[in-house]
Amino acid sequence: MVQAIFLALEQGMTGRKYFLSDGEVYQSSTFSDLIHEELGRPWWLRITAPTWVLRIITFFGEYVGRMTGKVTALNNDKYNILKQRNWRCDITPARKELGYEPQLSENNAKSHLSIVERERARCETSKMNSIKIFEIEKKPRKGLLAIEWIILGYMVLTLLLALFMSTKIHNIDPIIWGRFRIAMMMLGLWVVYRLIPCRFTMFTRIALQLILLGIWYPETFEFNRHFPNLDHLFAAHEQSICGCQPALLFSQAISHPVFSELMHLGYASYFPLIAIVTLFYFFKRYDQFLRAEFIILGAFFIYYVIFIILPVTGPQYYYLAAGFDQIANGVFPDMGNYFSTHMEKATTPGWSDGFFYSLVESLHDAGERPTAAFPSSHVGITTILMFLAWRTRCKPLFWGMIPFYVLMCFATVYIQAHYVIDVIAGWISAIVFYVVLLFLSKKFV
């Protein structure tokens, strides 16, 4: 192109248009083969899409563009271009009038592409190397993190509640001394961070809080078990809305082992999804890491407060206590304080020989209690994780999480952990919590 520009200046050409190329004829497969070779010949599948598929995609792309006010990559104009089978770029006029002769052959193009690819790989490597998790921070944070203050507030609030209910709580010592030990661990990690202020020591402070969620969740039962159970009201509302009990019928309608394993896979993906989003922000979006964790952990503790004051156990406990026959007949007895002394749950629906079925059962045996059904924190937290994944603008992260998120939403009802209204409340609460916590994170994080 530079050659053609100087030739045009020398010839005094104005108002003329020329095609510039190496003068060879290529097929679209030639370019895909070149890219394939430069990428190290990975496994691939060449698909030729018919034009009518392209037309549908560009039609919706045009519609989305008009709705959002932004030009999409595939629109009606692009369809008119892409549907053409052949393009003629004749450089004969440039040769005759300017004396232009191409200087970049296909082999040279490959060489240039290899250089570009190597440079891009070098830049990526340099970028990864720039993430030095042990590098001392120039401006370390001096005090406690905003989320640590929230957790301390939760600890004080629930400690006061425990002291107020001390005559009802069987053994209050673990609650008191447990909080003391947790406070000491937080203080110890804060001291370590102050001595070695780097990303790694900051991560340990957040990791501690994520690990301790396994303690805070079952502890909500120690408080709400002393309040009258409300499952009969929620089951009755479920019946009035749906005309049945979806949690009772879902697993009966679809009992195939493969479907069962998919449901339990979705439910078991809860903690891995939290870990994936946390690690992605730590390694790829560290400038937003503390804000993301403030939103995740903040949402957890809001849910815990709700669980304490709203004693709903969910179908897996209530159906067994009330009797499956009564539930099937639309009778929902008030269980009162039954769950203050009973923790038996129904057998989890599904294929009992499945790997993910066994995994979910192990998780339930380790920390599940007749508590925390409304709203569904599993649905709520994973919805918030999806918002955070979308916020990264990393498409592989977001779209990779979508299947597990969808399975999660169905699984909570399939395995009788939640009512449908719990799931709906999980979606609504997630939106509210995310908006509020994002606003607060911009002010305090």
Side-chain angles (χ1 to χ4, degrees), residues 65-259:
R66 291 179 180 179
M67 294 291 293
T68 60
K70 298 180 180 179
V71 179
T72 55
L74 293 175
N75 49 47
N76 289 338
D77 289 337
K78 289 296 176 62
Y79 170 75
N80 293 327
I81 296 173
L82 294 173
K83 74 176 182 178
Q84 306 302 323
R85 295 301 184 185
N86 299 288
W87 287 88
R88 183 182 180 188
C89 301
D90 187 6
I91 64 171
T92 301
R95 278 176 161 165
K96 290 182 177 180
E97 299 177 14
L98 301 179
Y100 166 78
E101 286 298 330
Q103 298 180 1
L104 185 62
S105 65
E106 179 183 346
N107 290 332
N108 286 334
K110 289 183 179 180
S111 177
H112 280 280
L113 182 59
S114 297
I115 293 172
V116 171
E117 289 295 329
R118 287 196 298 269
E119 182 65 18
R120 185 169 66 179
R122 187 191 66 78
C123 291
E124 290 294 329
T125 303
S126 176
K127 184 177 180 181
M128 291 299 295
N129 291 336
S130 66
I131 302 177
K132 301 175 181 177
I133 62 175
F134 295 104
E135 183 179 2
I136 301 299
E137 297 176 352
K138 295 180 180 180
K139 295 182 179 180
R141 294 174 179 264
K142 296 182 178 180
L144 292 178
L145 304 174
I147 189 59
E148 289 174 329
W149 282 113
I150 289 178
I151 294 171
L152 285 175
Y154 176 85
M155 290 167 58
V156 172
L157 176 66
T158 50
L159 176 60
L160 293 175
L161 180 61
L163 294 173
F164 180 75
M165 301 174 61
S166 59
T167 56
K168 294 183 178 181
I169 296 177
H170 177 67
N171 186 5
I172 197 174
D173 289 345
I175 295 177
I176 297 174
W177 290 109
R179 278 156 175 71
F180 176 76
R181 286 192 291 269
I182 291 172
M184 290 299 100
M185 284 190 288
M186 292 173 61
L187 178 62
L189 288 180
W190 173 79
V191 172
V192 172
Y193 173 77
R194 291 297 296 158
L195 293 174
I196 312 173
C198 65
R199 294 184 180 186
F200 177 76
T201 51
M202 176 60 75
F203 180 80
T204 59
R205 295 170 68 178
I206 296 298
L208 172 67
Q209 306 306 333
L210 291 172
I211 293 171
L212 291 176
L213 294 176
I215 295 176
W216 298 124
Y217 169 74
E219 191 196 65
T220 61
F221 175 64
E222 299 303 323
F223 295 101
N224 70 21
R225 69 192 301 176
H226 303 291
F227 302 131
N229 177 258
L230 301 176
D231 271 81
H232 61 290
L233 300 177
F234 285 82
H237 281 301
E238 180 103 323
Q239 188 79 15
S240 64
I241 294 172
C242 303
C244 64
Q245 292 293 302
L248 181 64
L249 302 178
F250 191 4
S251 58
Q252 296 175 5
I254 310 177
S255 58
H256 194 280
V258 173
F259 190 82

